Amino acid sequence: MREFSNWLFKYLKKKYPGCKVEMDTIGNVYFTKGVSEIYPCMVAHVDCNQDYHSNPLIINTGNWIVSIDNNTGEQIGMGHDDKAGVYISLEMIKKFDKIKAFFPVNEEISALGSKSAD
C-alpha cells in the first residue's frame, strides 16, 4: 500500500506547493493547508484488505453485492478500501483555504496507521 501513499504524497506536494505535506515512516500522509487555530480535518485510509483479482464477477442482488473469482468460482472479497473517502478529502482540500487531512495506512489490520500517528 506504500505505493498509493507515495503517489498521494507527491500529488499533494505538487498540487499544493505552499502547503505542509508530510509522510511518516510507515506511510501515513499528513496535509495542512493554511494557518488557523481550528481546522476541519478529513480522514480517509489508503489501504485495502483483499488480494487483487484481475477479472472478478460482480453480482448485485439488490440487497447484496458479491464478487466471484471467474477462475475458481469462489466468492472473494472486493478489495473495499476508502478511495471514495480519499476523493472526498481531495475535493474538500480544493474548497477550503484552511484544512487538514490525514491519510493513514494499515487501518484494515488493527488500525495500525492511526495508532502510530503523530
Side-chain angles (χ1 to χ4, degrees), residues 45-111:
H45 67 94
V46 295
D47 61 320
C48 64
N49 64 346
Q50 303 295 325
D51 293 330
Y52 174 77
H53 296 271
S54 63
N55 190 22
L57 171 64
I58 308 297
I59 302 168
N60 184 345
T61 69
N63 292 323
W64 300 94
I65 299 174
V66 296
S67 182
I68 306 296
D69 184 315
N70 273 319
N71 297 323
T72 66
E74 295 179 81
Q75 184 174 345
I76 56 174
M78 296 192 303
H80 285 186
D81 56 16
D82 199 16
K83 295 299 185 297
V86 172
Y87 174 79
I88 292 167
S89 297
L90 294 175
E91 289 298 305
M92 293 295 100
I93 287 169
K94 284 183 201 175
K95 294 183 182 296
F96 283 82
D97 293 329
K98 298 172 184 165
I99 190 168
K100 288 191 177 209
F102 174 52
F103 301 98
V105 296
N106 297 329
E107 292 305 290
E108 299 291 352
I109 49 173
S110 301

